Amino acid sequence: MNIKGFKVNFLGDSITEGVGVSDIVSCRYDKRLASMCELEAVYNYGIGGTRLAHQSKPSEKPRYDLCFCGRAYLLDKSADLIVVYGGVNDYIHGDAPFGEIGDTTPATFCGGVYFLMNYLRQNYAGKPVVFMTPARCCYSNVDDLAPSPRANKRPDAKVLIAYVEVIEETAKQFDIPVLDLYHNLGIDPHNPEDCKNLTIDGLHFNDEGHKIIASKLKAFLEAL
């Protein structure tokens, strides 16, 4: 797919917002993609700490509770392409139950993924919608190989790959392409060199990490 001249909506969390980069205009992954692909415009809807699913109990920071499903209504309707990059905060500190495939409301993570994909498919008919999965993380006291130990997590909390798989499985129902950053980004914060050279904390990427994300997304879109 040739996206030259496209207007693109980017819906995401702190990574999409640009936490970790030295300069948003030149280094954040959406801005890099805009330059690489000669996009007409990028509309960034990244808010740090946000999750796809609803939060049951209010967070310490109300901004964290502006979930993807609610913010989807605010996306620019003139966009030619929608890119959604999230799920890691649902894994780390979201208190919604994990749920199961077949859920349809944002009360669970599985339902939130379904709700968001269904909404975007209906409201951007004929336009490409793309999801990117969470990448690997080893952040603070959270290791993606185990369920998050945060106190507000539900008993059905899973390892990060389970959240990735829900995104991939649900996307099949809507014929939505998914860029699997968990397996294909090539950055593993468990590796000390990757953590030091490509992230700022094992979760958020630095300038070079955002460059890699942009390159992977560009190649993925061009192959569609």
Side-chain angles (χ1 to χ4, degrees):
M1 177 172 59
N2 181 4
I3 63 172
K4 180 179 178 180
F6 272 28
K7 293 179 287 185
V8 185
N9 287 334
F10 290 86
L11 178 60
D13 50 37
S14 56
I15 297 173
T16 297
E17 189 175 27
V19 172
V21 300
S22 62
D23 179 63
I24 284 176
V25 173
S26 60
C27 298
R28 196 173 64 189
Y29 78 86
D30 62 323
K31 297 292 190 178
R32 288 183 181 274
L33 187 73
S35 177
M36 295 160 65
C37 297
E38 299 181 55
L39 301 179
E40 178 179 329
V42 292
Y43 305 121
N44 189 290
Y45 298 88
I47 297 181
T50 55
R51 319 158 184 98
L52 276 76
H54 287 171
Q55 188 77 352
S56 300
K57 297 181 180 179
S59 302
E60 292 181 5
K61 296 182 179 181
R63 193 167 181 258
Y64 286 1
D65 296 337
L66 298 173
C67 70
F68 284 36
C69 290
R71 281 157 46 226
Y73 295 93
L74 306 177
L75 300 180
D76 192 287
K77 293 296 191 296
S78 71
D80 305 295
L81 166 67
I82 297 85
V83 177
V84 181
Y85 180 18
V88 72
N89 290 323
D90 294 86
Y91 158 70
I92 293 175
H93 52 70
D95 75 353
F98 184 81
E100 59 186 14
I101 297 293
D103 291 350
T104 59
T105 74
T108 69
F109 175 73
C110 293
V113 174
Y114 177 93
F115 182 94
L116 181 57
M117 290 185 176
N118 185 51
Y119 173 84
L120 293 175
R121 265 287 173 248
Q122 290 183 359
N123 287 272
Y124 293 89
K127 296 182 178 181
V129 175
V130 169
F131 273 61
M132 299 196 293
T133 74
R136 302 296 304 272
C137 70
C138 188
Y139 170 72
S140 186
N141 65 333
V142 178
D143 183 325
D144 67 40
L145 297 175
S148 171
R150 297 292 173 87
N152 66 331
K153 294 299 296 180
R154 298 296 185 100
D156 68 346
K158 313 291 185 186
V159 296
L160 181 58
I161 187 61
Y163 295 78
V164 171
E165 290 172 347
V166 167
I167 293 172
E168 293 179 324
E169 286 302 309
T170 307
K172 293 176 183 177
Q173 300 179 47
F174 296 100
D175 195 26
I176 290 176
V178 176
L179 173 53
D180 181 354
L181 295 182
Y182 185 93
H183 292 104
N184 299 321
L185 183 58
I187 300 176
D188 184 357
H190 297 86
N191 179 328
E193 290 298 309
D194 280 6
C195 191
K196 176 183 177 181
N197 296 328
L198 300 171
T199 82
I200 63 167
D201 55 12
L203 170 65
H204 302 96
F205 301 98
N206 61 15
D207 293 355
E208 188 62 25
H210 273 255
K211 181 180 179 181
I212 293 172
I213 293 172
S215 297
K216 293 286 184 178
L217 181 55
K218 177 178 181 290
F220 182 77
L221 293 171
E222 287 177 345
L224 293 179

